Structure formats: structure tokens, C-alpha cells
Amino acid sequence: MESRLTDSLRVVFILTILLATGSSENDQALTFCGTWRHGKHSLHLSYNLSPGCKGISISANKSSLSVEGQITAQCRRSDVIDLKQFGFDSEEQSDFCLYWEPLLDQLKLQIGGKNLTLCWPTSLQGTCCTDLSLGPKQPEADYGIVNGRIQTDIITEKTRIAFKFNGRPISCKHLCNQARGGPTQVNMIEDNAENPCASSFEVEMNDDFRGYNVTSPVTKGVFQESTATVHLPSALKQAVKMTTKVVCTFFRNNTQFQVGHKEVRILSEVVEITVENEIIIDLPEPIRIDFYHDAIPKMHSRKCVSWDTRKNPLQVSWLVDGCITQQRGAENTECLCNHLTYFSVLVQLEPQPVRHLLALTIITSLGCAMSVISCVVLITFLCRKRRPKEQSKPIHLGLAVSLAALNLLFFFTGVLANVGGEGLCTWVGAALHYSLLSAFTWMGIEVFYTFWLVCMVLTKYTLPKPYIWNLVGFVLPAVPIVILAAVGDIYGMRELVPSDDISNPYQMCWMKSNDKALLAHYFTTMTILVILVLLGIMMLFLIYWKIRHRVEWRQNRVAFLSIWGLSCLFGTSWGLTFLDFGPLSDLVIFLFCILNSFQGFFLMLRFYMLEWMSKQAGDSAQSSNSNGSTRQHMLKAPEKSEMD
């Protein structure tokens, strides 16, 4: 009895607030949230929406969440969709929120981390449905909606099968004037009060239509100048079959169109160009849209994008397909598009989107797979060589093992990021960083060993024992990893945004994109890489200077193979990362991926060629060391053996 009284008082309190705010101003939005208590079965979303202002009902049962009613001005949509296609999990309850924006005729459902647009934004004329008030109390059930609330005010903590709201019609023009006059007392989406109303212009394409310019209106006191201009080409007249009218709608408030990724955001207003009951694509002459916006720094890229509601009717998905971007300055972007839909400019914050990400991912995955197999073959080959006094063997083994671990982790990092989530990614990211530092360390050891062969082999100094190499190559790289892991918030999920599909980022386990991780990246990875590349290049020049007059080096094949083989050991190809700028950026990034992902394969190929050349030469004594060809072409025959 006490519980029922509490619920009744809570409902009366909420209604009193709504009525009090409605006495002076009408509601600009409604936010209804709750927790859907369901079973571990196949889950569905059902919606049936039509124009009117009778009200809306949100109901739920064991397997279905339903939204139906008449509150829209123009939207008429109904469907039943399987939530599994949106990656919806099978937990026993799920939080959701329903957002109603009467000034945009937009209804959105947020569930399972996904934003589903049930009614698309549009410009309104005539009547809007607002001031939604809570209807009659619905029965309780085991499955349904628990903790239903309006804004942040809880209606009831019990599980109800449904919540119903009754609407009240009002002039859209009157409601828009209220919104422009200042913020209301109800909770609204940020910046909505600034200019929440869309503006539409209808263009009549007569027989003598030669093109037409439509400019977004200037709003006194808010925007002192136009922010977008649309040029409709004459080719649009020939493409339209059933009507002569085209509608251009300008949405100054773009918060409803944001994609949700913190790396990108809609920069300018959104423009919708439509022809009733027709789909217009592949125009021979593109539609030109000029967007005027705040100045964009050169380090931030921007792209003209469109949202094709036919391909993605429920989720806002901005794609570059069908649009060409022309930057007319820091404050002007021109879009040339060959179809009709929603258009805007998407600006990339940080990091910049990756061009050709799919192709680079395929190349890298293939290279990593080949390198893992090649490193396993090379490890087997080196272990079978029974020459206990061979000092280079543990060094080559260490490099092969570290490269195998690096390529294996990198091959699976995308899969593990999507399967394991943030928790697993913390461990995988740390392991991937460790394997990269370990590989760099072993490459540095290879540089030192080659320097010893060239300059110190005839001295009294001897090489360290194999366990020293293992401590340096495997234990030392773990020190910064442990420190960074202790600091925290360094390793985890990382998103790479493809330039051709900005709303669909590639996930991997690596360092995060925050300031601490960036600082750690520069102090560890980049510092070691700079040292490694500089030493490797210096070593290659030293070798060339020592043996440039040898007879063998006059043969181009021998010279090329020697430098190429040493580059595989020294890791100098990793230095291409410092050349990723300018007009050759695409070429450099492709070379970087090919050379470094296939490094394990190239390394195995080098040792195979050394073995083959040794057998061809028939000099088993000189080829007993796996650096044989390096010494053979670098050092003179009577030198003291390195095994002494």
C-alpha cells in the first residue's frame, strides 16, 4: 500500500512540473528512458508510427520492444527488425532512451550503445505534436520496462508492460518562435535552443529550367550571414520523372546528425535535397553545395559526406561515396555530389583518417601471416645447425623469435579488439608494444654484431655470452612496458578511421589516443626507432666504405643482395615512417606496410640465399657462420676467425 502511494505521488509530482512548465512555454523535446527487462532470446524492435497527435506507446515483453503511435507531422514508418544485426547482446536487461524532437519531426531510440533513427529529421509546416503527458498506469509484469523516467525524474521503479504518453497539437511556427526566443525550462539537447528549426525551400523546375541557387536563410540575432548555398544543375530537370519540384532543407542545428565518434564531427549545417517519391542518383552534372564555416586548421582534414537513408535507414552513416571535396580556403568547402540525400562536411579531429585503410589492412595481414610462418621455418633451420661455437646463432634466433611474436600479435589485434573489448585490449596492447620494442632491440644487436665483425674482429675484445644477448633483447624491453602499465590509461582500444567510411572505424589493441599514451609512444617507440634507423644507416655506409673496392661488389647483383640482406637485419625500412608526408605519402605508407609486414619472410629468404650461395661456392668453412656472405664480401680471406 505504501509503495503504491509513493508511485502515485511521484507521478502527480512529475505531471505538476510538466503542467507548470507548459503554462508559459511548450515542451521542445521529450526524453523517456528505462531498462528493458527481457529474456536471453532473439530480440526484436517493432515500430509503427504515423502522422497525428493522439500519443505514443512504448511497450516491452520477453522478446520485443515496441514503439507505436501518432505523434509525427510527416513521418510514416513501420517495421520489425532483429536487434542482432546491430551487435545487440543477450543480457537479461538493456538500458534504452527514446528522444522525441517535434521541431524536427525526429524520433530516435538509443539502445545497446546504438542510435537508431526511427523518423528522419525534416522541416515542418503546420502542426507539431508536443507537451506529451503521461497516460494511464499500465499493468506490472515479470518482463517489461523497469525504472521508467522522464528526463531524470523516475516515474516508477516497478516493471510495467508499457508507458503511454498523450500529445497536444500546436502550431510549428509558434513552437519555433518560442525556441528562438531563448531556452525553455525543460531539458534540451545542447545548442538546440540556439536555432532548432529547419528551413525548407521548394524550387519549381519549369521547362526552361537552367539551374537555380538556393541559399540558407539569415537568422537575425543568431546567424548574421548565410552558411550554405546549393546550386541545382539543369541536369536535375532531366533526371526527375514524376514531378517538377525539388525541396532543399537547411538544418542549422546539426547535433542530431553527429556520428558519435569523438575523432570526427559534423562541422557545418546539414542540407537535405529531395524529390518526392523519387530516387535520384548518378547525375551527369553534379549538385554543387558551398558550405561556409569556421576556419579549419591544415592539420585537420575535412570531407564532403552524405547519408544515404536507403542503405542505412536507422543509423546515421556518413560516407564519402558520390561526393567530391574541393577546399576553397580555411572557411569554405565546396561539395560536388551526384545524388540527392542529406549532405554536410565532416571534419576529422585527431588522428586524421587513413587513406586506403582496407587495402593496407589486407597487405599487412598477409605479410604478418607470411612472416610468422617464415620465422618459424627460420627458427627451425637455425636450431638444426649444429655448430656450438657459432656466435651469431643466438642473435639471429632472438630476432626471429621477436619478429614471430610481433607479427602474430599484430595479425590478431583487430579480432581480439572486437571479441575481447577494452579489458583484453589492455593486455594485448601491452604485449604488442613489448614485442615491437623487443624486435627493435634485436635489430640493434644485429647492428652491433655486424660492427664487431667489420671493425673489432681482429682485436682482443670478445663478444658477450648468449645469455647477455637474451637479457638485453627480451628482458630490457619489458622494463618500460611494466612502468607504463603501472602508470595506467596507456594501453587499450585504438580506432583507425578510414577516409572512405568515416563512421566505421577499424578497432585494434594498441596505445590509446590520449596525451599520456602519445607521450609514452614518443619516449619509447619513436626514440628507439630513431636510434635504430640512424645506427643502421651509418652501419650500411660503413660497410660500403670498407668494401667498395672489392671485386665482388662490382657485380650489381651481389651488391644489391648484400645491402638488402643487411637492411632486413638492421630494420632500416622502419625509417619510412618518418617520410610519411607530402605528395608521396601514399606510396611511402604502402612501402612501409609491405617491407615491414613481410620482414620475417625477407629474413628467411636472406638466410636461404646465403645457404644456397655457400653451397654453390662449395666453401663450407667460410659458410659455417650465418653471416658468411656478409663477411665474405666485407672482409678479406686471411682474417682471424670470429670463433676464436
Side-chain angles (χ1 to χ4, degrees):
M1 181 70 181
E2 183 180 352
S3 177
R4 291 182 180 179
L5 180 60
T6 302
D7 284 347
S8 300
L9 291 174
R10 184 180 289 138
V11 171
V12 170
F13 177 71
I14 293 173
L15 289 175
T16 302
I17 293 176
L18 293 176
L19 289 173
T21 57
S23 61
S24 58
E25 292 183 342
N26 301 97
D27 293 343
Q28 307 297 324
L30 171 72
T31 300
F32 172 75
C33 298
T35 301
W36 175 22
R37 184 168 290 169
H38 51 73
K40 292 185 176 180
H41 303 282
S42 178
L43 303 177
H44 296 82
L45 170 65
S46 171
Y47 58 95
N48 184 9
L49 303 166
S50 58
C53 198
K54 291 184 178 180
I56 189 171
S57 171
I58 305 98
S59 59
N61 55 36
K62 190 175 182 179
S63 60
S64 178
L65 179 67
S66 300
V67 181
E68 55 185 17
Q70 297 179 344
I71 60 170
T72 65
Q74 301 178 27
C75 176
R76 186 186 300 272
R77 295 184 67 190
S78 62
D79 200 358
V80 178
I81 60 174
D82 187 355
L83 290 174
K84 187 176 181 181
Q85 63 179 294
F86 300 105
F88 205 73
D89 55 37
S90 58
E91 294 181 359
E92 294 185 352
Q93 60 183 30
S94 305
D95 295 330
F96 73 91
C97 281
L98 187 71
Y99 302 96
W100 166 238
E101 295 281 341
L103 283 174
L104 297 176
D105 205 32
Q106 183 183 39
L107 188 66
K108 289 201 311 181
L109 176 68
Q110 186 181 70
I111 183 170
K114 303 292 184 181
N115 290 314
L116 308 181
T117 304
L118 305 184
C119 283
W120 307 323
T122 187
S123 175
L124 299 180
Q125 296 177 357
T127 302
C128 289
C129 189
T130 185
D131 294 339
L132 296 178
S133 58
L134 188 64
K137 183 186 300 184
Q138 301 300 308
E140 298 180 21
D142 293 332
Y143 298 98
I145 302 173
V146 65
N147 293 329
R149 59 190 181 275
I150 299 175
Q151 315 298 358
T152 57
D153 300 315
I154 295 180
I155 302 172
T156 178
E157 297 176 351
K158 296 181 178 180
T159 303
R160 306 284 186 185
I161 62 172
F163 287 85
K164 295 185 177 182
F165 297 89
N166 301 317
R168 185 167 72 91
I170 188 176
S171 168
C172 292
K173 183 178 180 180
H174 177 69
L175 188 63
C176 185
N177 289 335
Q178 282 187 10
R180 285 173 175 167
T184 64
Q185 297 179 25
V186 298
N187 290 340
M188 296 165 53
I189 295 178
E190 186 178 356
D191 293 336
N192 246 13
E194 187 176 8
N195 190 15
C197 311
S199 302
S200 287
F201 297 87
E202 189 176 86
V203 178
E204 184 77 27
M205 296 183 293
N206 300 319
D207 294 337
D208 59 346
F209 183 75
R210 295 293 182 268
Y212 192 81
N213 289 337
V214 183
T215 302
S216 62
V218 177
T219 303
K220 185 177 180 180
V222 180
F223 297 96
Q224 299 301 326
E225 58 183 17
S226 174
T227 56
T229 299
V230 177
H231 173 72
L232 302 175
S234 58
L236 184 59
K237 170 67 177 177
Q238 286 73 40
V240 173
K241 306 297 182 184
M242 302 172 58
T243 184
T244 60
K245 297 179 180 179
V246 58
V247 178
C248 297
T249 305
F250 299 90
F251 298 90
R252 285 282 176 86
N253 173 31
N254 59 33
T255 55
Q256 306 300 318
F257 297 91
Q258 299 293 348
V259 294
H261 300 294
K262 62 182 180 180
E263 294 86 0
V264 295
R265 68 178 177 90
I266 292 295
L267 175 68
S268 186
E269 67 182 288
V270 176
V271 176
E272 180 192 19
I273 308 174
T274 58
V275 173
E276 187 175 4
N277 297 325
E278 288 194 53
I279 298 173
I280 307 298
I281 58 175
D282 299 327
L283 288 170
E285 183 182 354
I287 293 174
R288 188 176 71 247
I289 310 171
D290 279 297
F291 289 100
Y292 301 93
H293 44 71
D294 295 334
I296 303 299
K298 292 184 178 180
M299 68 282 300
H300 299 311
S301 66
R302 44 185 150 136
K303 291 286 184 181
C304 294
V305 291
S306 65
W307 171 27
D308 191 342
T309 54
R310 295 179 298 110
K311 296 180 180 178
N312 298 283
L314 289 176
Q315 290 186 287
V316 178
S317 179
W318 293 108
L319 302 176
V320 296
D321 300 346
C323 288
I324 298 175
T325 305
Q326 294 186 349
Q327 299 182 11
R328 301 298 186 186
E331 299 179 351
N332 179 211
T333 303
E334 184 180 76
C335 301
L336 304 176
C337 303
N338 63 3
H339 58 291
L340 302 187
T341 184
Y342 295 89
F343 302 97
S344 190
V345 176
L346 200 67
V347 63
Q348 181 70 27
L349 302 179
E350 194 173 348
Q352 292 193 11
V354 181
R355 291 167 54 86
H356 316 294
L357 181 59
L358 179 59
L360 293 172
T361 302
I362 294 174
I363 292 172
T364 304
S365 298
L366 179 61
C368 288
M370 289 285 292
S371 290
V372 171
I373 297 172
S374 301
C375 286
V376 172
V377 173
L378 179 58
I379 292 169
T380 305
F381 167 76
L382 292 174
C383 290
R384 286 185 174 181
K385 293 187 69 175
R386 300 183 179 278
R387 292 179 174 87
K389 293 185 179 182
E390 187 176 337
Q391 295 178 327
S392 62
K393 179 178 175 180
I395 299 176
H396 300 326
L397 271 174
L399 178 59
V401 170
S402 62
L403 282 178
L406 173 63
N407 286 280
L408 184 64
L409 284 171
F410 201 89
F411 182 82
F412 286 108
T413 182
V415 177
L416 295 174
N418 287 280
V419 174
E422 187 70 31
L424 181 62
C425 257
T426 302
W427 294 95
V428 176
L432 184 59
H433 191 204
Y434 163 76
S435 61
L436 180 63
L437 296 185
S438 178
F440 285 168
T441 305
W442 281 108
M443 294 173 200
I445 293 174
E446 291 280 6
V447 173
F448 173 80
Y449 178 70
T450 306
F451 172 77
W452 185 85
L453 283 178
V454 174
C455 300
M456 302 181 65
V457 69
L458 299 178
T459 67
K460 62 179 181 179
Y461 300 103
T462 60
L463 284 171
K465 300 295 181 181
Y467 76 89
I468 299 296
W469 297 132
N470 290 328
L471 285 175
V472 174
F474 289 126
V475 178
L476 186 61
V479 175
I481 305 300
V482 173
I483 295 174
L484 294 177
V487 171
D489 200 29
I490 301 292
Y491 303 107
M493 190 85 70
R494 183 70 175 267
E495 290 185 346
L496 299 178
V497 182
S499 60
D500 55 347
D501 188 0
I502 304 175
S503 62
N504 186 27
Y506 172 80
Q507 294 181 329
M508 64 175 293
C509 298
W510 180 235
M511 289 183 169
K512 294 182 178 181
S513 56
N514 56 42
D515 293 337
K516 284 199 301 183
L518 183 63
L519 191 64
H521 173 67
Y522 280 112
F523 271 98
T524 57
T525 311
M526 298 307 294
T527 301
I528 295 175
L529 183 58
V530 168
I531 296 173
L532 174 66
V533 171
L534 289 178
L535 291 179
I537 293 175
M538 291 170 59
M539 196 66 235
L540 289 176
F541 274 106
L542 178 62
I543 293 170
Y544 171 76
W545 183 263
K546 285 272 186 183
I547 59 178
R548 68 188 186 281
H549 298 303
R550 293 294 302 269
V551 177
E552 296 88 340
W553 271 69
R554 296 176 184 175
Q555 304 177 29
N556 292 333
R557 178 176 67 91
V558 174
F560 170 76
L561 291 177
S562 298
I563 291 295
W564 168 74
L566 290 171
S567 297
C568 291
L569 290 177
F570 298 165
T572 51
S573 58
W574 288 86
L576 288 171
T577 190
F578 302 113
L579 304 178
D580 183 18
F581 61 88
L584 297 179
S585 177
D586 287 347
L587 175 62
V588 169
I589 197 66
F590 271 97
L591 285 175
F592 178 87
C593 287
I594 293 172
L595 294 177
N596 295 318
S597 63
F598 282 88
Q599 185 179 0
F601 170 73
F602 293 147
L603 197 63
M604 183 203 69
L605 192 61
R606 173 188 184 271
F607 281 94
Y608 168 79
M609 294 181 67
L610 290 181
E611 192 74 10
W612 179 80
M613 291 172 66
S614 298
K615 290 181 180 179
Q616 291 290 319
D619 189 359
S620 59
Q622 288 282 351
S623 64
S624 63
N625 189 287
S626 57
N627 258 340
S629 75
T630 303
R631 274 193 75 189
Q632 181 180 345
H633 300 300
M634 293 192 304
L635 307 174
K636 295 182 180 180
E639 286 179 348
K640 181 181 178 180
S641 171
E642 69 177 55
M643 295 184 292
D644 291 343

